[in-house]
């Protein structure tokens, strides 16, 4: 499982002398610091659990809710506003007949391009 072995990672990053190679000249060595390892890795775990996981879960839930609404034929307020705006723009080019108003056929592609893809 993800996240279960962070204690072992803290132990590995906190190895000190004589179990590590100390810094020699240009070579940085592989010694660690137990308090610093705990602070960095433990802090990262807290950030992930408290902020990143809930944010990712919220994004997935919102996506599923929007997909469900589209499948059920529901439109969002934003989609309805886009439709209303596109319709009002196309009304300026409507042909008026004796009994009804209708959109000219050549204006239909323009109207469809203005709408969001579902």
């Amino acid at each position: 499982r993800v996240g279960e072995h962070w204690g072992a990672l803290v132990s590995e990053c906190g190895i000190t002398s004589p179990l590590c190679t100390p810094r020699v000249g240009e070579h940085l060595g592989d010694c660690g610091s137990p308090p610093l390892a705990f602070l960095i890795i433990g802090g990262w775990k807290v950030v992930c659990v408290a902020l990143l996981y809930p944010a990712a879960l919220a994004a997935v839930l919102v996506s599923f809710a929007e997909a469900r609404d589209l499948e059920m034929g529901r439109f969002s307020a934003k989609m309805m506003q886009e439709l209303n705006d596109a319709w009002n723009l196309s009304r300026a080019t409507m042909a008026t007949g004796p009994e009804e108003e209708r959109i000219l056929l050549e204006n239909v592609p323009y109207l469809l391009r203005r709408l969001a893809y579902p």
Side-chain angles (χ1 to χ4, degrees):
R1 292 185 200 158
V2 176
E4 288 184 359
H5 302 289
W6 72 277
L9 186 58
V10 169
S11 296
E12 289 291 323
C13 291
I15 293 177
T16 57
S17 252
L19 301 174
C20 65
T21 308
R23 180 180 184 150
V24 178
E26 299 273 328
H27 179 66
L28 296 177
D30 59 0
C31 293
S33 167
L36 189 59
F38 180 79
L39 181 68
I40 291 173
I41 295 170
W44 177 248
K45 174 124 172 109
V46 168
V47 166
C48 287
V49 169
L51 299 175
L52 299 180
Y53 292 162
L57 179 63
V60 168
L61 291 176
V62 166
S63 295
F64 279 128
E66 288 175 357
R68 182 202 63 216
D69 287 347
L70 286 175
E71 284 179 1
M72 297 178 76
R74 297 184 206 156
F75 290 101
S76 67
K78 179 183 174 195
M79 291 172 74
M80 290 302 293
Q81 185 61 45
E82 288 173 356
L83 176 61
N84 188 39
D85 293 344
W87 182 259
N88 287 335
L89 284 173
S90 67
R91 283 182 63 84
T93 59
M94 281 185 158
T96 54
E99 298 175 5
E100 64 182 348
E101 293 182 343
R102 62 187 185 280
I103 296 175
L104 296 174
L105 186 58
E106 61 263 16
N107 293 333
V108 170
Y110 170 76
L111 175 62
L112 292 177
R113 279 193 305 271
R114 301 246 336 141
L115 299 177
Y117 183 76

